[in-house]
Amino acid sequence: MKQLKRNIAIVCGGDSSEHDVSLRSAQGLYSFFDKDRYNVYIVDIKGQDWHVELPGGITARIDRNDFSFVEDGKAKLFDYAYITIHGTPGENGILQGYFDLMGLPYSTSGVLVEAMTFDKFVLNQYLRSYGVSVADSLLIRQGYEQLVSDDEIEQRIGMPCFVKPAADGSSFGVSKVKNKDQLAPAIRKAMLESSEIMVEQFLEGTEISIGVYKTREKSVVLPATEVVTSNEFFDYDAKYNGQVEEITPARLPEDVTRRVREITSHIYDILHCNGIIRIDYIISKEGKISMLEVNTTPGMTVTSFIPQQVRAAGLEMKDVLTDIVENQF
């Protein structure tokens, strides 16, 4: 008897400023998946509008009661959700909780891990307790800005520093602040994206990004990508408008490469992650490795870091995605 193909939902869109970037990741994932093995659908969600793209350019509404849809007059259910939303609700645990209620396996980590990695300030404090080096930072909540003065920020964090949304999966709202006069407008800008913002110490050095995934059978730490940009920092334009040079594998000494790989694997285990994640670091001239961010739904366009790193490792994205899906069954 012929084995039935699993129905895979590539869940994209979301409600953050990176909705359209997520759609591009979904198209990349769709091109990578093994269509001989899976029936693959793109599901776009935004607010209350949840729909699945069907052949012929038509769409069908997703029934949120059971995450089903109707195709050719027949109700269909998904066997697996590959989440590629950058921001809420796919990167902060909300969608994961929904799928847990459905009993539907998915590609990311669970509710707690997603909520924690989405909140940069919380994540930094948590990983610091495990000995992971992170930049010093402080948190400012909307409505309580007066509790932290500009002088305190300058003395505690120093200049330059970064002001960024604390709980947001987006590259929007981030500013590099060089003096006290720039703090107030930077804080207002970040508050447009999140009700909590983080003021973070500036770390000088080489920025790298590295992917990792694990299954029951294997642990795969991918080659790191070195990020070189002429912009002030790796902002939205650098990420998505080509204002960056991406070098894979990164030009690092052998001992630093080894330590980065070890730390990356260790963080994956500390957080009890699932699926493929990407971790960003700054490496100082002295070789100190400081974690910047953990991204649990990394970009998946053809030119994104993870596909680059998979190719550099001599692997195929099709096989990596199959490994990640089948690990849930």
Side-chain angles (χ1 to χ4, degrees):
M1 180 178 174
K2 185 178 179 182
Q3 186 176 3
L4 293 175
K5 293 160 73 172
R6 302 192 203 277
N7 293 329
I8 306 291
I10 300 174
V11 187
C12 63
D15 302 319
S16 82
S17 303
E18 290 193 77
H19 176 275
D20 292 348
V21 176
S22 171
L23 301 187
R24 299 207 294 270
S25 285
Q27 292 295 335
L29 283 163
Y30 186 87
S31 72
F32 296 138
F33 261 106
D34 187 345
K35 312 301 190 307
D36 293 330
R37 183 166 189 145
Y38 304 113
N39 298 315
V40 185
Y41 299 85
I42 292 178
V43 175
D44 184 354
I45 72 176
K46 186 172 186 179
Q48 300 300 305
D49 178 19
W50 294 29
H51 62 266
V52 59
E53 298 178 8
L54 300 177
I58 62 173
T59 63
R61 183 181 65 86
I62 291 288
D63 184 341
R64 292 195 298 276
N65 290 299
D66 57 4
F67 201 58
S68 67
F69 65 101
V70 175
E71 184 178 20
D72 298 328
K74 296 180 180 178
K76 290 192 175 182
L77 290 167
F78 289 107
D79 300 298
Y80 185 89
Y82 198 103
I83 301 171
T84 187
I85 292 175
H86 311 312
T88 188
E91 204 173 7
N92 57 0
I94 294 175
L95 198 58
Q96 287 77 8
Y98 167 78
F99 287 139
D100 284 343
L101 290 172
M102 297 290 120
L104 184 69
Y106 48 84
S107 59
T108 69
S109 308
V111 173
L112 176 61
V113 174
E114 291 298 314
M116 187 161 57
T117 54
F118 190 68
D119 191 314
K120 300 176 180 68
F121 185 79
V122 170
L123 178 69
N124 281 10
Q125 310 318 307
Y126 183 73
L127 289 178
R128 181 184 278 125
S129 72
Y130 281 88
V132 176
S133 174
V134 296
D136 192 17
S137 60
L138 55 82
L139 187 70
I140 300 176
R141 290 189 171 92
Q142 196 166 33
Y144 297 89
E145 295 91 338
Q146 74 282 359
L147 295 180
V148 182
S149 70
D150 293 352
D151 287 336
E152 287 178 272
I153 291 174
E154 185 177 47
Q155 291 168 14
R156 162 81 182 273
I157 304 300
M159 296 288 166
C161 66
F162 283 105
V163 176
K164 61 179 71 172
D168 188 73
S170 171
S171 300
F172 290 94
V174 182
S175 301
K176 185 178 181 181
V177 172
K178 297 181 180 179
N179 58 64
K180 283 192 299 183
D181 294 339
Q182 297 175 349
L183 277 171
I187 289 170
R188 286 195 296 272
K189 177 182 175 182
M191 287 287 184
L192 295 174
E193 300 292 331
S194 172
S195 61
E196 295 186 344
I197 65 115
M198 182 166 72
V199 183
E200 186 177 53
Q201 175 190 15
F202 170 72
L203 300 177
E204 191 165 3
T206 300
E207 183 167 353
I208 66 163
S209 190
I210 183 168
V212 55
Y213 74 95
K214 299 189 181 189
T215 67
R216 288 183 292 272
E217 288 79 31
K218 64 180 75 171
S219 173
V220 181
V221 182
L222 298 169
T225 297
E226 181 179 345
V227 181
V228 183
T229 178
S230 56
N231 294 11
E232 282 284 356
F233 59 97
F234 189 42
D235 59 6
Y236 184 88
D237 282 332
K239 277 186 181 181
Y240 302 120
N241 294 329
Q243 297 174 12
V244 66
E245 183 181 3
E246 301 165 2
I247 303 165
T248 309
R251 300 167 297 183
L252 299 174
E254 190 174 323
D255 67 309
V256 174
T257 298
R258 176 186 55 77
R259 287 192 291 124
V260 166
R261 293 173 64 85
E262 289 173 354
I263 293 169
T264 300
S265 179
H266 185 46
I267 290 173
Y268 193 101
D269 293 341
I270 290 170
L271 296 174
H272 195 57
C273 288
N274 178 57
I276 194 161
I277 69 169
R278 199 191 75 225
I279 305 180
D280 301 337
Y281 300 94
I282 287 285
I283 301 172
S284 71
K285 289 180 180 179
E286 297 74 34
K288 183 178 181 180
I289 301 165
S290 297
M291 190 214 73
L292 293 177
E293 186 174 350
V294 174
N295 191 324
T296 60
T297 61
M300 285 292 182
T301 68
V302 174
T303 58
S304 293
F305 287 153
I306 294 298
Q308 283 185 50
Q309 294 171 12
V310 166
R311 289 192 295 270
L315 304 173
E316 295 285 340
M317 277 300 302
K318 179 176 73 172
D319 298 329
V320 170
L321 294 177
T322 298
D323 281 347
I324 290 169
V325 171
E326 294 305 315
N327 191 56
Q328 302 289 102
F329 296 99

